[in-house]
Amino acid sequence: MHIGVIGLGRMGGNIVRRLMDNGHQCTVYDVSEKAVATLAGEGATPAGSIEEMVEGLAAPRAVWVMLPEGKITADAVEALGAAMSADDVIIDGGNSFYKDDISRGAALKEKGIHYVDVGTSGGVWGRERGYCLMIGGDKDAVDRLDPVFKTLAPGRGDIPLTKNRESRDPRVLEGYMHCGPTGSGHFVKMVHNGIEYGLMQAYAEGFDVLKTKASPNLPEDRRFDLDVADIAEVWRRGSVVSSWLLDLTASALAGDEELSEFEGRVADSGEGRWTIEAAIEEAVPVDVLATALFARFRSRQDHTFADRLLSAMRFQFGGHAEAPGGEKQKVKT
Amino acid sequence: MHIGVIGLGRMGGNIVRRLMDNGHQCTVYDVSEKAVATLAGEGATPAGSIEEMVEGLAAPRAVWVMLPEGKITADAVEALGAAMSADDVIIDGGNSFYKDDISRGAALKEKGIHYVDVGTSGGVWGRERGYCLMIGGDKDAVDRLDPVFKTLAPGRGDIPLTKNRESRDPRVLEGYMHCGPTGSGHFVKMVHNGIEYGLMQAYAEGFDVLKTKASPNLPEDRRFDLDVADIAEVWRRGSVVSSWLLDLTASALAGDEELSEFEGRVADSGEGRWTIEAAIEEAVPVDVLATALFARFRSRQDHTFADRLLSAMRFQFGGHAEAPGGEKQKVKT
Amino acid sequence: MHIGVIGLGRMGGNIVRRLMDNGHQCTVYDVSEKAVATLAGEGATPAGSIEEMVEGLAAPRAVWVMLPEGKITADAVEALGAAMSADDVIIDGGNSFYKDDISRGAALKEKGIHYVDVGTSGGVWGRERGYCLMIGGDKDAVDRLDPVFKTLAPGRGDIPLTKNRESRDPRVLEGYMHCGPTGSGHFVKMVHNGIEYGLMQAYAEGFDVLKTKASPNLPEDRRFDLDVADIAEVWRRGSVVSSWLLDLTASALAGDEELSEFEGRVADSGEGRWTIEAAIEEAVPVDVLATALFARFRSRQDHTFADRLLSAMRFQFGGHAEAPGGEKQKVKT
Amino acid sequence: MHIGVIGLGRMGGNIVRRLMDNGHQCTVYDVSEKAVATLAGEGATPAGSIEEMVEGLAAPRAVWVMLPEGKITADAVEALGAAMSADDVIIDGGNSFYKDDISRGAALKEKGIHYVDVGTSGGVWGRERGYCLMIGGDKDAVDRLDPVFKTLAPGRGDIPLTKNRESRDPRVLEGYMHCGPTGSGHFVKMVHNGIEYGLMQAYAEGFDVLKTKASPNLPEDRRFDLDVADIAEVWRRGSVVSSWLLDLTASALAGDEELSEFEGRVADSGEGRWTIEAAIEEAVPVDVLATALFARFRSRQDHTFADRLLSAMRFQFGGHAEAPGGEKQKVKT
């Protein structure tokens, strides 16, 4: 297929490469002329603007937008919508909020333009491993893009087959899924990331228990000095907690058990937050997912106003004053 | 009554004073000779050792131990047990673990000595306000000590009466309660402190939401600049969240809205921890109480190994590198 | 003052009564003719419609809207806005979302109408105790309404004074507070309710630990059988956890320690949810407040899909099958 | 090697089979004569008692105990200790508490008997996949048992190698690890299970968000009807959340998306609980791991006393009465 790609960062660039490696033709655009030139050097057709890209594609056109969510994506989609014609397709492969998809899709539909939202998981490993794709949009548009999705997805590989799937959609086994109408792709990707936060936090807490010298109320000669790099590695083999995230953990710890190059200020993105908000809308308890998000908020602060208020209350009722490494208990409470 | 008191720290000393102010006679002992001398100067009978105290009291004796929980209390109770006789009473007014009470009580019972555990709440305000007393032990011993408990407790004061209490124990309205057998007093006090952690954390989080400049996605001129000292004060009056802890919060914030003299490293004591362990034994979910405890653990660390592991995983799968104030998102994940 | 009141449910009706008891004049309207007639019988001036109410008030008018948040309040405010003139004031005393206040206030400002949002706490006890009022809006409008706020608020009563408040706003000591611009009153009330959820959950969990027969791994004759009604009562007196919510707890338990008339399906309102969303916007960790909200969600379901998925996973990896009262462990995992 | 195995349940029986399949000789004992006879029929040497087993093994002996943790394991270890001689080895392959290991190991050491604790992960899949083994004990005893561990472990298989492991213990790549002194094997397995609970809960919550009809505040025709079986399947391929637990989830959902054969009453074992207690001893915050444990507690109750207390408080302050599916809000609070 011939497809336009806007946004040539690490994700967008690798998507173009994986497409071209597999026989697709890409017209590319980015605000960075250098990024465009690099991919042109690898075989892509460069475009100097969104409008030029649209002109260079034959109708019905397909353009994949791979930009940071928010205003940048909104502006690109709007510009595309203005330049494109009925029956063209805009694909948003970024991390947009699913309610934004729904409103953008409705606006474009008035002009007859299809809007397809694609949650794209795989990170920097995707070019090689392939991307897990969660797709929302009209059946016609999604079907038309099937060759692109099939190329970007990982394929069946050597992953063991799940039983009882005979009557189910075989595309899923290739690593891509048409989830439902507009917005549903990003909705599923959003929950994916919410789960990801929870999984990561579970490993992080467990390894913290292992790493902290255990059991202060045991005799000193019985405290364990555990090799967390080896533990992560051995759990990859036959244990219940084996996972791709554990593979990454083992890799990080093998390099440095102390992880001393990291300070521990952990970012979060919209998807983790929106998952909590979606759960609240549905009245679904998501204690672990919310806790994992809040742990990231907390990690970015040295001390919170909340903590200071706890100390202040304790001082008021008990005359406790803080001491380094915790408060010194002057009286009982 | 004539009673011995061991441990003359802020709590023990004030207990002696409240007892003497109300006509009781106290023999006092502490490892600090200065503490003994101070209270002797206020009318107490000094003792130079636990044995001397026991000799100076007429049988059946009563000695109130007011020491930090753990080995110090264990040693004092053991020494008392060795020096005392059948039908004497040892009162542990500290924060001992209720299972320790049970084993100590059983050991002393073999010699015919009564053991009474008293959870004592009130902090530095207790001398003036009185202490809320949660008492475990044999009925006979508890009844015998009634004059002491009645004096230490706050009394009815002007607290509005609860309906439907006509047939219930009137001592409770004075602020002391015989909860059950040995250990039950400290068990109830333990849960009291567990709840206290939860309440404090709820206020702390709420005030943090108020204090943090609200709503970054609102136009700047609409962000609120709230006076948290006034908010704490107004909530004391007619709101659903009024409480003694809120009174203390209002007091702390009136002095300094920023609480800048506190860093926010918050101590915890055994009782908060044992509450979680008791809940686990009972299979009772205590999400809020556990979370409040963990927030204190977290407050005493700058960064955790858990947080560093999150950053390391993110770096592995997405090429995200940390940046000051959070990680810089280089690519989507 | 002469003021209109729309919405004569339990809250609105009691507000009218407290106002009239203290010399104010009220014109009242409700969709229920019976509610209007009842208050007319107690001295209020009845109105047959919003328009009739507005006509019956002298400019500059003030109308207090006391309706459920959402469309009902939005419609009433819109109708009032259409009927009123520049310099009139609309007060929303309900539980509206603060962002709705901001947009409503901005719309009304174009016509010169003031919009004042008032968070009103006190429940069914407010007529007697007074209401804690958290107020957002223009200084002029708020000052003009001062006689109304002063009447509705509890007044200083016998609540002990907080130190260091000499230089601060004395209205706060009466139980009402001008928090800031439009929306800030409901924002503060929202967080108030968020805290309320957290406080309630802390008590609930603690009493659950007390009520559940403690310590299954203790010998049977040492398990405590605690009187939770007495415990709630004794904690009202001198303990750190005394509060108005504890007063209510003591009252409920004195009537029936088993609380057998309640099933335990607990509702939540918008404010608890919005508090979490506001915290997420601010990146403030609110583990306890969120957990308290999720506990209510959970309480309204018999079993969740999440729980079934846990059972299904366990069955897959360990051959564990569920049994009544938990799963029967067939093999270790 | 020739080894004794006590406990021939699903785990113990499969361990015997995997050992015999790979050339080891096993003497077996179980209280169930039928279990002994079954394995004798497959080539094992039957023993009629622990003593008979010990007599039938040549010194230095090795006996693997595979029994439920607690008294049953304690009794078997004690009986073995009485029958065995210096330099023999007892292996506890069950889920014992690591502090029990430490005291058992110390008692046996007085007689010169080695005690090796082995955390064994793999469930019913272990016979085929191999077991991940986490081993604590003396180096000599652990080294002597190497042929057994190597056989039981999964081996390197086709799991991709982790970088930077050149200088590390190669046994780990086979799927078994000598973690440290006595108790450390079960300590590591304990944390493994704690993490397992957290991972499972993260998936469970996320799928609950997907399964619950999303977004009640969206127009009805925009609510997604998501196929959770396909979602689990597609995430196995190239996504960040792929794992063995997700494989099991996909398998369970492919059979029945509603999971209707499960009610959702989820058991927990000692290891999840001890992880929380170990974290509390270390003052490590483990919000996610604790929350996951509490969710299981909650799943086994229809309604909690905590929930009833929330309803009772709400009734007291607001006149709210419960209604089916939640409480009917009669007045605002």
Side-chain angles (χ1 to χ4, degrees):
Chain A
M1 253 184 98
H2 187 181
I3 187 169
V5 177
I6 297 174
L8 306 174
R10 213 177 306 188
M11 287 290 285
N14 280 343
I15 281 174
V16 169
R17 289 182 186 98
R18 190 170 169 97
L19 286 171
M20 294 194 302
D21 287 348
N22 290 278
H24 297 281
Q25 184 183 350
C26 295
T27 299
V28 299
Y29 170 70
D30 194 286
V31 290
S32 156
E33 293 181 12
K34 192 182 159 198
V36 174
T38 300
L39 282 160
E42 300 179 31
T45 306
S49 68
I50 288 179
E51 291 71 22
E52 190 184 317
M53 168 182 283
V54 171
E55 283 169 26
L57 294 165
R61 302 170 188 88
V63 176
W64 185 293
V65 179
M66 202 69 199
L67 293 168
E69 69 92 9
K71 187 167 170 13
I72 296 178
T73 290
D75 289 350
V77 170
E78 194 179 343
L80 273 173
M84 290 172 103
S85 315
D87 210 29
D88 288 351
V89 188
I90 299 173
I91 305 116
D92 178 2
N95 277 329
S96 294
F97 185 39
Y98 72 99
K99 293 188 183 178
D100 289 342
D101 293 321
I102 292 170
S103 46
R104 282 173 202 156
L108 291 164
K109 197 174 190 178
E110 292 180 11
K111 202 176 163 183
I113 299 174
H114 303 279
Y115 179 89
V116 173
D117 53 291
V118 181
T120 312
S121 182
V124 294
W125 299 82
R127 185 185 174 184
E128 181 188 342
R129 289 208 318 164
Y131 301 92
C132 179
L133 303 177
M134 296 146 261
I135 306 162
D138 297 334
K139 183 177 185 307
D140 286 353
V142 173
D143 286 349
R144 193 195 303 167
L145 294 163
D146 194 73
V148 164
F149 296 141
K150 185 158 189 161
T151 293
L152 290 177
R156 300 196 176 204
D158 54 0
I159 293 175
L161 283 180
T162 302
K163 285 185 193 166
N164 301 318
R165 282 203 54 87
E166 295 69 23
S167 60
R168 294 178 179 274
D169 188 342
R171 292 176 296 181
V172 166
L173 303 180
E174 307 289 329
Y176 64 105
M177 173 180 174
H178 184 195
C179 300
T182 305
S184 64
H186 280 146
F187 187 86
V188 173
K189 174 59 162 48
M190 173 191 82
V191 177
H192 167 279
N193 282 31
I195 291 172
E196 174 192 311
Y197 284 26
L199 301 177
M200 289 172 71
Q201 185 67 21
Y203 286 116
E205 290 178 6
F207 277 97
D208 204 346
V209 174
L210 294 170
K211 184 72 181 166
T212 301
K213 284 290 174 297
S215 305
N217 56 8
L218 288 180
E220 267 194 44
D221 61 342
R222 285 176 179 169
R223 291 187 203 165
F224 309 130
D225 186 13
L226 300 165
D227 183 323
V228 288
D230 278 0
I231 292 172
E233 185 64 34
V234 83
W235 285 350
R236 297 178 67 214
R237 298 159 191 283
S239 96
V240 171
V241 302
S242 62
S243 71
W244 191 60
L245 284 165
L246 182 66
D247 295 348
L248 301 181
T249 299
S251 189
L253 292 170
D256 171 18
E257 274 186 61
E258 304 302 323
L259 303 173
S260 47
E261 69 186 297
F262 300 98
E263 191 181 0
R265 298 181 181 273
V266 191
D268 71 280
S269 65
E271 290 162 311
R273 300 177 175 209
W274 303 326
T275 300
I276 310 308
E277 291 172 0
I280 290 176
E281 283 185 3
E282 298 176 18
V284 169
V286 285
D287 291 88
V288 157
L289 307 189
T291 292
L293 177 65
F294 297 148
R296 295 187 172 200
F297 291 169
R298 181 65 186 80
S299 78
R300 303 200 298 264
Q301 296 194 57
D302 289 329
H303 295 289
T304 64
F305 187 73
D307 292 339
R308 290 205 298 279
L309 187 56
L310 294 178
S311 287
M313 279 193 245
R314 282 172 55 79
F315 183 76
Q316 290 281 332
F317 72 66
H320 303 282
E322 278 191 28
E327 297 173 32
K328 192 168 159 190
Q329 298 244 6
K330 290 200 181 146
V331 294
K332 70 184 286 290
T333 57
Chain B
M1 257 185 93
H2 187 180
I3 188 169
V5 178
I6 296 174
L8 306 173
R10 213 178 304 190
M11 286 290 285
N14 281 342
I15 280 174
V16 170
R17 289 183 186 97
R18 190 168 170 101
L19 287 171
M20 295 195 303
D21 288 347
N22 290 278
H24 297 281
Q25 185 183 348
C26 295
T27 298
V28 300
Y29 170 70
D30 195 285
V31 291
S32 157
E33 294 181 11
K34 193 181 157 198
V36 175
T38 300
L39 282 162
E42 299 179 30
T45 305
S49 68
I50 286 180
E51 292 70 22
E52 191 185 315
M53 169 182 282
V54 171
E55 283 169 26
L57 293 166
R61 300 170 190 88
V63 176
W64 185 293
V65 180
M66 202 70 200
L67 292 168
E69 69 91 11
K71 187 167 170 15
I72 296 179
T73 290
D75 288 349
V77 169
E78 193 179 345
L80 273 172
M84 290 173 102
S85 316
D87 209 29
D88 288 351
V89 188
I90 299 173
I91 305 116
D92 178 1
N95 277 331
S96 294
F97 185 39
Y98 72 98
K99 293 188 183 178
D100 288 342
D101 292 322
I102 291 170
S103 47
R104 282 173 201 155
L108 290 165
K109 198 175 190 178
E110 292 181 10
K111 202 177 163 183
I113 299 174
H114 303 280
Y115 179 88
V116 173
D117 53 291
V118 181
T120 312
S121 181
V124 295
W125 299 82
R127 186 185 174 183
E128 180 189 343
R129 290 208 318 164
Y131 301 93
C132 180
L133 303 176
M134 296 145 261
I135 306 162
D138 297 334
K139 185 178 184 307
D140 286 353
V142 173
D143 285 351
R144 194 196 301 166
L145 293 164
D146 194 72
V148 164
F149 295 141
K150 185 157 187 158
T151 293
L152 291 177
R156 299 197 179 204
D158 54 0
I159 292 174
L161 284 179
T162 301
K163 286 185 194 168
N164 299 319
R165 282 202 52 89
E166 294 70 23
S167 61
R168 293 178 179 274
D169 188 342
R171 292 177 296 181
V172 167
L173 302 180
E174 306 288 331
Y176 64 106
M177 173 178 175
H178 184 194
C179 300
T182 305
S184 64
H186 280 147
F187 186 87
V188 173
K189 174 59 161 49
M190 174 192 81
V191 177
H192 167 278
N193 282 32
I195 292 172
E196 175 191 311
Y197 284 25
L199 301 177
M200 288 171 71
Q201 185 67 21
Y203 286 117
E205 290 177 6
F207 277 97
D208 205 346
V209 174
L210 293 169
K211 184 71 180 165
T212 302
K213 284 291 176 295
S215 304
N217 56 7
L218 287 180
E220 267 193 45
D221 61 343
R222 283 174 180 172
R223 292 186 203 167
F224 309 131
D225 187 12
L226 299 165
D227 184 323
V228 288
D230 278 0
I231 291 171
E233 185 65 33
V234 83
W235 284 351
R236 297 178 67 214
R237 300 157 189 285
S239 96
V240 170
V241 303
S242 63
S243 71
W244 191 60
L245 284 165
L246 183 65
D247 294 349
L248 301 181
T249 300
S251 189
L253 292 170
D256 172 18
E257 272 186 63
E258 304 302 323
L259 304 172
S260 47
E261 68 185 299
F262 300 99
E263 191 182 359
R265 296 181 183 272
V266 191
D268 70 281
S269 65
E271 290 161 310
R273 299 177 175 207
W274 303 326
T275 300
I276 309 309
E277 291 172 0
I280 290 175
E281 283 185 1
E282 298 176 16
V284 169
V286 286
D287 292 86
V288 157
L289 307 189
T291 292
L293 177 66
F294 297 148
R296 294 186 174 202
F297 291 169
R298 181 63 186 82
S299 78
R300 302 200 297 264
Q301 297 194 57
D302 289 329
H303 294 290
T304 64
F305 186 74
D307 291 340
R308 290 205 299 279
L309 186 57
L310 294 178
S311 287
M313 279 193 245
R314 283 172 54 78
F315 182 76
Q316 290 281 332
F317 70 67
H320 302 282
E322 278 191 28
E327 297 173 32
K328 192 167 158 190
Q329 298 245 5
K330 289 199 180 149
V331 295
K332 72 184 287 291
T333 60
Chain C
M1 258 185 91
H2 187 180
I3 187 169
V5 177
I6 296 174
L8 305 173
R10 213 177 305 188
M11 287 290 284
N14 281 342
I15 281 174
V16 169
R17 289 183 185 98
R18 190 170 169 100
L19 286 171
M20 294 195 303
D21 287 347
N22 290 278
H24 298 281
Q25 185 183 348
C26 295
T27 299
V28 299
Y29 170 71
D30 194 285
V31 289
S32 157
E33 294 181 11
K34 192 181 157 197
V36 174
T38 300
L39 282 161
E42 300 178 32
T45 306
S49 69
I50 287 179
E51 293 70 23
E52 190 184 315
M53 169 183 281
V54 171
E55 281 169 26
L57 293 165
R61 301 170 190 88
V63 176
W64 185 293
V65 179
M66 203 69 199
L67 292 168
E69 70 92 9
K71 185 166 171 15
I72 296 178
T73 290
D75 288 349
V77 169
E78 193 178 346
L80 273 173
M84 291 173 102
S85 316
D87 210 29
D88 288 351
V89 188
I90 298 173
I91 305 116
D92 178 2
N95 277 331
S96 293
F97 185 39
Y98 72 98
K99 293 188 183 179
D100 288 342
D101 292 322
I102 292 170
S103 46
R104 282 174 201 156
L108 291 164
K109 198 175 191 178
E110 292 180 10
K111 201 177 164 182
I113 299 174
H114 302 280
Y115 179 87
V116 173
D117 53 291
V118 181
T120 312
S121 182
V124 294
W125 299 81
R127 185 186 175 183
E128 181 188 342
R129 290 209 318 166
Y131 301 93
C132 179
L133 303 177
M134 296 145 261
I135 306 162
D138 298 333
K139 185 176 184 308
D140 286 353
V142 173
D143 286 350
R144 193 196 302 167
L145 293 164
D146 194 73
V148 164
F149 296 142
K150 186 158 188 158
T151 293
L152 290 177
R156 298 196 179 205
D158 54 1
I159 293 174
L161 284 179
T162 302
K163 286 185 194 167
N164 300 318
R165 283 203 52 88
E166 294 71 21
S167 61
R168 293 179 180 274
D169 187 342
R171 291 176 297 182
V172 167
L173 302 180
E174 307 289 330
Y176 63 106
M177 173 179 174
H178 184 194
C179 300
T182 304
S184 64
H186 280 146
F187 186 87
V188 173
K189 175 59 161 49
M190 174 192 81
V191 177
H192 167 279
N193 282 32
I195 292 172
E196 175 192 311
Y197 284 24
L199 301 178
M200 289 172 71
Q201 184 68 20
Y203 286 116
E205 291 178 4
F207 277 98
D208 204 347
V209 174
L210 293 169
K211 184 72 180 166
T212 302
K213 284 292 173 294
S215 304
N217 56 8
L218 287 181
E220 265 193 46
D221 62 342
R222 284 175 178 169
R223 292 186 203 166
F224 309 130
D225 187 11
L226 299 165
D227 184 323
V228 289
D230 278 1
I231 291 171
E233 185 65 34
V234 83
W235 284 350
R236 298 178 66 214
R237 299 157 191 285
S239 96
V240 171
V241 302
S242 63
S243 72
W244 191 60
L245 284 165
L246 182 66
D247 294 348
L248 301 181
T249 299
S251 190
L253 291 170
D256 172 16
E257 274 186 61
E258 303 302 324
L259 303 173
S260 48
E261 70 186 298
F262 300 98
E263 191 182 359
R265 296 181 183 273
V266 191
D268 70 281
S269 65
E271 290 162 311
R273 300 177 175 208
W274 302 327
T275 300
I276 309 308
E277 292 172 359
I280 290 175
E281 284 185 1
E282 298 176 17
V284 168
V286 286
D287 291 87
V288 157
L289 306 190
T291 292
L293 177 66
F294 296 148
R296 295 187 174 201
F297 291 169
R298 181 63 186 81
S299 78
R300 302 199 298 263
Q301 295 195 58
D302 289 329
H303 295 289
T304 63
F305 186 73
D307 292 340
R308 289 204 299 279
L309 186 56
L310 295 178
S311 287
M313 278 193 245
R314 283 171 54 78
F315 183 76
Q316 291 281 332
F317 71 66
H320 302 281
E322 278 191 29
E327 296 173 32
K328 191 167 159 191
Q329 298 244 4
K330 290 199 180 148
V331 295
K332 72 183 286 291
T333 59
Chain D
M1 253 185 98
H2 187 181
I3 188 168
V5 177
I6 297 174
L8 306 173
R10 211 176 306 189
M11 286 289 285
N14 281 342
I15 281 174
V16 170
R17 288 183 186 98
R18 190 169 170 99
L19 286 170
M20 295 194 303
D21 288 349
N22 290 278
H24 298 281
Q25 184 182 350
C26 295
T27 298
V28 299
Y29 170 69
D30 193 286
V31 290
S32 157
E33 295 179 11
K34 192 181 157 198
V36 175
T38 300
L39 282 160
E42 300 179 31
T45 306
S49 68
I50 287 179
E51 292 70 22
E52 190 185 317
M53 168 182 283
V54 171
E55 282 167 27
L57 293 166
R61 301 170 189 88
V63 176
W64 185 293
V65 180
M66 202 69 201
L67 292 168
E69 69 92 10
K71 187 166 169 14
I72 296 178
T73 290
D75 289 349
V77 169
E78 194 179 343
L80 273 174
M84 290 173 104
S85 316
D87 209 30
D88 288 352
V89 188
I90 299 173
I91 305 115
D92 178 2
N95 278 330
S96 294
F97 185 40
Y98 72 98
K99 293 188 183 179
D100 288 342
D101 292 321
I102 292 170
S103 46
R104 282 172 202 156
L108 291 165
K109 197 175 190 176
E110 293 181 10
K111 201 176 164 183
I113 299 173
H114 302 279
Y115 179 88
V116 173
D117 53 291
V118 181
T120 312
S121 183
V124 294
W125 299 82
R127 186 185 174 184
E128 180 189 344
R129 290 209 318 163
Y131 301 93
C132 179
L133 303 177
M134 296 146 261
I135 306 163
D138 297 334
K139 184 177 184 307
D140 286 353
V142 173
D143 285 351
R144 193 195 302 166
L145 294 163
D146 195 73
V148 165
F149 296 141
K150 185 157 187 159
T151 293
L152 291 177
R156 299 197 178 204
D158 54 359
I159 293 174
L161 284 179
T162 302
K163 286 185 193 167
N164 300 319
R165 281 202 54 88
E166 295 70 23
S167 60
R168 294 179 179 274
D169 187 342
R171 292 177 296 182
V172 167
L173 302 181
E174 306 289 330
Y176 64 106
M177 172 180 175
H178 184 194
C179 301
T182 305
S184 63
H186 280 146
F187 187 87
V188 172
K189 174 58 162 48
M190 173 191 82
V191 177
H192 166 279
N193 282 31
I195 291 172
E196 174 191 313
Y197 283 26
L199 300 178
M200 288 172 71
Q201 185 67 21
Y203 286 116
E205 290 178 6
F207 278 97
D208 204 346
V209 173
L210 293 170
K211 184 71 180 167
T212 302
K213 283 292 175 294
S215 305
N217 57 7
L218 288 180
E220 267 194 46
D221 61 342
R222 284 175 179 172
R223 292 186 202 168
F224 309 131
D225 187 12
L226 298 165
D227 183 323
V228 288
D230 278 359
I231 292 171
E233 185 64 34
V234 83
W235 284 350
R236 296 178 68 215
R237 300 158 190 283
S239 96
V240 170
V241 303
S242 63
S243 71
W244 192 59
L245 284 165
L246 183 66
D247 293 348
L248 301 182
T249 299
S251 189
L253 291 170
D256 173 16
E257 273 187 61
E258 303 302 323
L259 303 172
S260 47
E261 69 185 299
F262 300 98
E263 192 182 359
R265 298 181 182 273
V266 191
D268 70 281
S269 65
E271 290 162 309
R273 300 178 175 208
W274 303 326
T275 301
I276 309 308
E277 291 172 2
I280 290 175
E281 283 185 1
E282 299 177 17
V284 168
V286 287
D287 292 86
V288 157
L289 306 190
T291 292
L293 177 66
F294 297 149
R296 294 186 175 202
F297 291 168
R298 181 63 186 83
S299 78
R300 302 200 297 263
Q301 296 194 58
D302 289 329
H303 294 290
T304 64
F305 187 73
D307 292 340
R308 290 205 298 280
L309 186 57
L310 294 177
S311 287
M313 279 193 244
R314 283 172 54 79
F315 183 76
Q316 290 281 332
F317 72 65
H320 303 281
E322 277 190 29
E327 296 172 33
K328 191 168 159 191
Q329 298 245 4
K330 290 199 180 150
V331 296
K332 71 185 286 292
T333 59

